[in-house]
Amino acid sequence: MNHNYGYISTDRKIHEKLQNLFPWQPPEIKGNIPQGDMPGDQAQGFGDLGPKAETIFPELARLLQETINNSQYERAVVSVCGGSGTGKTGIASLLSYYLNQAGIGSYTLSGDNYPHRIPIYNDAERLRVFRRAALHGIIDAGQYTPERFTQIKIWQEHNIDADISYAIKNPWFKPYIESGREGLRKYLGTSKEIDFKEISSITEAFKNGADAIWLKRMGRTSSELWYDKTSFEKTNILIIEWTHGNSDYLKGVDIPIFLNSTPKETLEYRKMRGRDGNTDSPFTTMVLGIEQELLHQQAHKAKIILSKNGKLLSYKEYLELLQSEQEGGTENE
């Protein structure tokens, strides 16, 4: 996709503005703050996200000083990643607000605009990928019979065929679950599901001085897909809020910020939010678990890691917390 270039920094004062932030005091929030550029996102309260953003911001500002100083156009790309319920959108919006209040132009971009398919079709594709791999797996394991498929079909019709408890009660069903999960894992968060090439072209254009970029907008129906030409002439920081903001497929991110949570916390949040229906289905639980695994695998690249209770963590501390969670402990222990 072609982007417009031509932004030329008129001065080199952004680095100085970042230095002058210290000692930093959070600015007063005046009016509503837009949350990302995903169609339908609206300004809303931030709850406990304010203190978390305030914890992150000084460290972010320090990291930005070095990045900006090495940038021809005084620009940097930041990502805020994590599972559902970690506050990605709100925290990214607050960080952007703090930067703008300091005279450092910032824009918040939602990565959820960049899957290949609109949500309803992507959900269907995820399920198709799971079931196709699952059936191949049970056939390859020599466990498939017409009678057993009759039972599988009933589970499929009730959207419970990803329930691992059935594999415990019916050992012949285990290859279905295991193969389906592995097939799904090869799809979620990959270039098969997401147009990483397009979003990476945006980060490249932005860092190379584009003064305007066509940004994708995606709603929930096939007719809700369009592009807006967005000015970046006065923007120095692009913040991407996205589950996959620390993915190896995404290029051009200078400072990844990882918001940690457990799969249980993510699922509880989705239940509360009532997102996309069937939020407590076995299949959704499987999807959340795989996404959490991907986040953990990518965590070593994060420049900033924040625990669920709002504490900055080193990668070593994060691993210790992860081990504690896996053993049944909590952050507060």
Side-chain angles (χ1 to χ4, degrees), residues 267-288:
L267 186 57
E268 287 302 315
Y269 172 79
R270 289 174 66 93
K271 287 180 181 178
M272 178 184 68
R273 188 174 175 184
R275 186 173 184 173
D276 296 337
N278 296 322
T279 57
D280 58 348
S281 73
F283 183 71
T284 298
T285 301
M286 182 179 288
V287 168
L288 295 178

Side-chain angles (χ1 to χ4, degrees), residues 124-310:
E125 179 64 8
R126 288 176 171 184
L127 193 57
R128 185 198 70 82
V129 167
F130 166 75
R131 287 177 173 169
R132 182 174 185 272
L135 287 171
H136 282 182
I138 198 170
I139 290 172
D140 291 345
Q143 296 296 328
Y144 182 93
T145 67
E147 293 77 19
R148 287 172 176 175
F149 180 69
T150 297
Q151 179 60 67
I152 291 172
K153 189 171 185 295
I154 293 172
W155 291 335
Q156 289 178 343
E157 289 171 347
H158 288 84
N159 197 29
I160 54 175
D161 55 310
D163 191 333
I164 60 174
S165 69
Y166 292 131
I168 297 173
K169 299 173 184 176
N170 306 276
W172 58 264
F173 191 60
K174 187 176 179 181
Y176 181 97
I177 294 288
E178 292 179 344
S179 299
R181 191 182 193 282
E182 182 60 24
L184 185 59
R185 198 180 186 286
K186 292 177 180 179
Y187 176 76
L188 291 175
T190 71
S191 55
K192 297 176 183 178
E193 179 179 36
I194 298 163
D195 196 343
F196 283 102
K197 184 176 180 181
E198 181 171 3
I199 197 167
S200 295
S201 76
I202 292 169
T203 63
E204 179 183 15
F206 175 75
K207 293 172 74 171
N208 284 333
D211 59 12
I213 301 175
W214 287 98
L215 297 183
K216 184 180 177 184
R217 309 298 189 217
M218 178 180 286
R220 307 196 68 80
T221 67
S222 58
S223 62
E224 294 179 318
L225 180 61
W226 71 99
Y227 283 80
D228 284 336
K229 188 175 184 179
T230 304
S231 174
F232 285 97
E233 188 173 351
K234 297 181 179 180
T235 303
N236 300 93
I237 312 298
L238 175 62
I239 299 181
I240 302 173
E241 61 93 4
W242 196 20
T243 299
H244 307 291
N246 200 18
S247 171
D248 291 336
Y249 294 100
L250 178 60
K251 308 302 180 184
V253 174
D254 299 298
I255 305 173
I257 300 171
F258 174 41
L259 309 177
N260 184 42
S261 69
T262 66
K264 181 179 179 181
E265 289 165 340
T266 298
L267 186 57
E268 287 302 315
Y269 172 79
R270 289 174 66 93
K271 287 180 181 178
M272 178 184 68
R273 188 174 175 184
R275 186 173 184 173
D276 296 337
N278 296 322
T279 57
D280 58 348
S281 73
F283 183 71
T284 298
T285 301
M286 182 179 288
V287 168
L288 295 178
I290 293 172
E291 288 184 343
Q292 202 74 30
E293 289 175 10
L294 294 174
L295 289 167
H296 292 324
Q297 291 171 6
Q298 299 156 3
H300 68 280
K301 299 183 297 177
K303 298 290 183 67
I304 297 173
I305 302 175
L306 189 77
S307 71
K308 183 70 175 177
N309 63 9

Side-chain angles (χ1 to χ4, degrees), residues 5-11 72-73 75 209 211 233:
Y5 292 83
Y7 172 85
I8 299 176
S9 179
T10 56
D11 54 49
Q72 179 181 357
Y73 297 102
R75 290 182 168 188
D211 59 12
E233 188 173 351

Side-chain angles (χ1 to χ4, degrees), residues 92-121:
S93 298
L94 284 168
L95 296 176
S96 188
Y97 178 79
Y98 298 155
L99 288 166
N100 283 320
Q101 288 296 108
I104 303 167
S106 179
Y107 181 89
T108 304
L109 181 149
S110 174
D112 286 342
N113 284 314
Y114 292 89
H116 292 297
R117 302 167 181 85
I118 62 173
I120 189 172
Y121 295 151

Side-chain angles (χ1 to χ4, degrees), residues 262 264 320-333:
T262 66
K264 181 179 179 181
E320 292 171 351
L321 175 59
L322 179 60
Q323 182 178 358
S324 174
E325 291 170 349
Q326 292 172 342
E327 293 173 353
T330 66
E331 287 190 3
N332 295 318
E333 289 182 348

